[in-house]
Coordinates of all heavy atoms in Angstrom, one line a residue:
Q33 N 105.5 120.1 99.4 CA 105.6 121.5 98.9 C 105.7 121.4 97.4 O 106.5 120.8 96.9 CB 106.9 122.2 99.5 CG 107.0 123.6 99.1 CD 108.0 124.4 100.0 OE1 108.8 123.8 100.6 NE2 107.8 125.7 100.1
A34 N 104.7 122.0 96.8 CA 104.6 122.2 95.4 C 105.3 123.4 94.9 O 105.4 124.3 95.7 CB 103.1 122.1 95.0
P35 N 105.7 123.5 93.7 CA 106.4 124.7 93.2 C 105.5 126.0 93.4 O 104.3 125.9 93.0 CB 106.7 124.5 91.7 CG 106.7 123.0 91.6 CD 105.8 122.4 92.7
G36 N 106.1 127.0 94.0 CA 105.4 128.2 94.2 C 104.4 128.2 95.3 O 103.7 129.2 95.5
K37 N 104.3 127.1 96.1 CA 103.4 127.0 97.2 C 104.1 126.8 98.5 O 105.2 126.4 98.5 CB 102.4 125.9 96.9 CG 101.5 126.1 95.7 CD 100.4 125.1 95.7 CE 99.5 125.3 94.5 NZ 98.4 124.2 94.4
E38 N 103.4 127.0 99.6 CA 103.9 126.8 100.9 C 103.9 125.4 101.2 O 103.1 124.6 100.7 CB 103.1 127.7 101.9 CG 103.2 129.2 101.8 CD 102.6 129.8 102.9 OE1 101.9 129.2 103.7 OE2 102.7 131.1 103.0
R39 N 104.8 125.0 102.1 CA 104.8 123.6 102.7 C 103.5 123.4 103.4 O 103.1 124.2 104.2 CB 106.0 123.4 103.6 CG 106.3 122.0 104.0 CD 107.6 121.9 104.6 NE 108.7 122.3 103.7 CZ 110.0 122.1 103.9 NH1 110.4 121.5 105.0 NH2 110.9 122.5 103.0
E40 N 102.9 122.2 103.1 CA 101.6 121.9 103.7 C 101.7 120.5 104.4 O 102.4 119.6 104.0 CB 100.5 122.0 102.7 CG 100.6 121.0 101.6 CD 99.4 121.1 100.6 OE1 98.6 122.0 100.7 OE2 99.4 120.3 99.6
F41 N 100.9 120.4 105.5 CA 100.8 119.2 106.2 C 100.0 118.1 105.4 O 99.0 118.5 104.7 CB 100.0 119.5 107.6 CG 99.6 118.2 108.2 CD1 100.5 117.5 109.0 CD2 98.3 117.7 108.2 CE1 100.1 116.3 109.7 CE2 97.9 116.6 108.9 CZ 98.8 115.9 109.6
V42 N 100.4 116.9 105.5 CA 99.8 115.8 104.8 C 99.3 114.7 105.8 O 98.1 114.4 105.8 CB 100.7 115.1 103.7 CG1 100.1 113.8 103.2 CG2 101.2 116.1 102.7
S43 N 100.2 114.3 106.7 CA 99.7 113.2 107.6 C 100.7 113.2 108.8 O 101.9 113.7 108.7 CB 99.8 111.9 106.8 OG 99.3 110.8 107.7
A44 N 100.2 112.6 109.9 CA 101.1 112.5 111.1 C 100.8 111.2 111.7 O 99.7 110.6 111.6 CB 100.8 113.6 112.1
I45 N 101.8 110.8 112.5 CA 101.7 109.5 113.4 C 102.4 109.7 114.7 O 103.4 110.4 114.7 CB 102.2 108.4 112.5 CG1 101.9 107.0 113.2 CG2 103.8 108.5 112.3 CD1 102.1 105.8 112.3
S46 N 101.8 109.2 115.7 CA 102.4 109.3 117.0 C 103.6 108.4 117.2 O 103.8 107.6 116.4 CB 101.3 108.9 118.1 OG 100.9 107.6 118.0
G47 N 104.4 108.5 118.2 CA 105.5 107.7 118.4 C 105.2 106.2 118.5 O 106.0 105.4 118.0
S48 N 104.1 105.9 119.1 CA 103.7 104.5 119.2 C 103.1 104.0 118.0 O 103.0 102.7 117.8 CB 102.8 104.3 120.4 OG 101.6 104.8 120.1
G49 N 102.6 104.9 117.1 CA 101.9 104.5 115.9 C 100.4 104.3 116.2 O 99.7 104.0 115.2
A50 N 100.0 104.5 117.4 CA 98.6 104.2 117.8 C 97.6 105.3 117.1 O 96.4 105.0 116.9 CB 98.4 104.1 119.3
R51 N 98.2 106.5 116.9 CA 97.3 107.6 116.5 C 97.8 108.1 115.2 O 99.1 108.3 115.0 CB 97.3 108.7 117.6 CG 96.8 108.3 118.9 CD 96.7 109.5 119.9 NE 95.8 110.5 119.3 CZ 95.7 111.7 119.8 NH1 96.6 112.2 120.7 NH2 94.9 112.6 119.3
T52 N 97.0 108.4 114.3 CA 97.3 109.0 113.0 C 96.3 110.1 112.6 O 95.2 110.1 113.2 CB 97.2 107.9 111.9 OG1 96.0 107.3 111.9 CG2 98.3 106.8 112.2
S53 N 96.7 110.9 111.7 CA 95.9 112.0 111.2 C 96.2 112.3 109.8 O 97.4 112.1 109.4 CB 96.0 113.2 112.1 OG 95.1 114.2 111.7
Y54 N 95.2 112.8 109.0 CA 95.4 113.1 107.6 C 94.7 114.4 107.3 O 93.6 114.7 107.9 CB 94.8 112.0 106.7 CG 95.3 110.6 107.0 CD1 94.7 109.8 108.0 CD2 96.5 110.2 106.3 CE1 95.3 108.5 108.1 CE2 96.9 108.9 106.5 CZ 96.3 108.1 107.5 OH 96.9 106.9 107.7
V55 N 95.3 115.1 106.4 CA 94.6 116.3 105.9 C 93.5 115.9 105.0 O 93.5 114.7 104.4 CB 95.6 117.2 105.1 CG1 96.1 116.5 103.8 CG2 95.0 118.6 104.8
N56 N 92.4 116.6 104.9 CA 91.2 116.1 104.1 C 91.5 115.6 102.8 O 90.9 114.7 102.3 CB 90.1 117.3 104.2 CG 89.5 117.4 105.5 OD1 89.4 116.5 106.3 ND2 88.8 118.5 105.7
F57 N 92.3 116.3 102.0 CA 92.5 116.0 100.6 C 93.2 114.7 100.3 O 93.3 114.3 99.2 CB 93.0 117.1 99.8 CG 94.3 117.7 100.3 CD1 95.5 117.0 100.2 CD2 94.4 118.9 100.9 CE1 96.7 117.5 100.6 CE2 95.5 119.4 101.4 CZ 96.7 118.7 101.3
V58 N 93.7 114.0 101.4 CA 94.3 112.7 101.2 C 93.6 111.6 101.9 O 94.0 110.4 101.8 CB 95.8 112.7 101.6 CG1 96.6 113.9 100.8 CG2 96.0 112.8 103.1
K59 N 92.6 112.0 102.8 CA 91.9 110.9 103.5 C 91.3 109.9 102.5 O 90.7 110.2 101.5 CB 90.8 111.6 104.3 CG 91.3 112.2 105.6 CD 90.1 112.8 106.4 CE 90.6 113.4 107.7 NZ 89.5 114.1 108.5
G60 N 91.4 108.6 102.8 CA 90.9 107.6 102.0 C 91.9 107.2 100.9 O 91.7 106.2 100.2
R61 N 92.9 108.0 100.6 CA 93.9 107.6 99.6 C 95.3 107.3 100.1 O 96.0 106.5 99.6 CB 94.0 108.8 98.6 CG 92.7 109.2 97.9 CD 92.9 110.2 96.8 NE 93.6 111.4 97.2 CZ 94.7 112.0 96.7 NH1 95.4 111.4 95.8 NH2 95.1 113.1 97.2
F62 N 95.7 108.0 101.2 CA 97.0 107.9 101.8 C 96.9 107.2 103.1 O 95.9 107.4 103.9 CB 97.7 109.2 102.1 CG 98.0 110.0 100.8 CD1 97.6 109.6 99.5 CD2 98.9 111.1 100.9 CE1 98.0 110.3 98.4 CE2 99.2 111.9 99.8 CZ 98.7 111.5 98.5
T63 N 97.9 106.4 103.5 CA 98.0 105.7 104.7 C 99.3 105.8 105.4 O 100.3 105.5 104.7 CB 97.6 104.2 104.6 OG1 96.3 104.1 104.0 CG2 97.6 103.6 106.0
I64 N 99.4 106.3 106.5 CA 100.7 106.4 107.2 C 100.9 105.3 108.2 O 99.9 104.9 108.8 CB 100.8 107.8 108.0 CG1 102.2 108.0 108.4 CG2 99.8 107.9 109.1 CD1 102.5 109.5 109.0
S65 N 102.0 104.8 108.3 CA 102.3 103.7 109.2 C 103.8 103.7 109.6 O 104.6 104.5 109.1 CB 102.0 102.4 108.6 OG 102.8 102.1 107.4
R66 N 104.1 102.9 110.6 CA 105.5 102.9 111.0 C 105.9 101.5 111.5 O 105.1 100.7 112.0 CB 105.9 103.9 112.1 CG 105.2 103.7 113.5 CD 105.4 104.9 114.4 NE 106.7 105.3 114.5 CZ 107.1 106.5 114.9 NH1 106.2 107.4 115.2 NH2 108.4 106.8 115.0
D67 N 107.2 101.2 111.3 CA 107.8 99.9 111.6 C 108.9 100.1 112.6 O 109.9 100.7 112.2 CB 108.3 99.2 110.3 CG 108.8 97.8 110.6 OD1 109.4 97.5 111.6 OD2 108.7 96.9 109.7
S68 N 108.6 99.8 113.8 CA 109.6 100.1 114.9 C 110.9 99.3 114.7 O 112.0 99.7 115.2 CB 109.0 99.8 116.2 OG 108.6 98.4 116.4
V69 N 110.7 98.1 114.1 CA 112.0 97.2 114.0 C 112.9 97.9 112.8 O 114.1 97.9 113.0 CB 111.6 95.8 113.6 CG1 112.8 95.0 113.2 CG2 110.8 95.2 114.6
K70 N 112.3 98.4 111.8 CA 113.0 99.0 110.7 C 113.3 100.5 110.9 O 114.0 101.1 110.0 CB 112.3 98.7 109.3 CG 112.3 97.3 109.0 CD 111.6 97.0 107.6 CE 111.5 95.6 107.3 NZ 110.9 95.4 105.9

């Protein structure tokens, strides 16, 4: 959420980490991941 703007989706990951998704304006720049141990 930027000042004066609505909260917007950036990225998501499933519980297992097998599936991910990104909004277009971060594709290729952002990477979501998860560490189940940590």
Side-chain angles (χ1 to χ4, degrees):
Q33 188 165 18
K37 295 187 177 181
E38 293 186 353
R39 190 167 300 190
E40 61 183 0
F41 168 79
V42 175
S43 183
I45 190 166
S46 61
S48 69
R51 300 183 66 194
T52 60
S53 181
Y54 303 89
V55 69
N56 282 342
F57 53 75
V58 306
K59 281 183 180 177
R61 299 191 298 128
F62 292 9
T63 303
I64 192 170
S65 62
R66 66 190 307 159
D67 184 327
S68 60
V69 174
K70 295 183 178 180

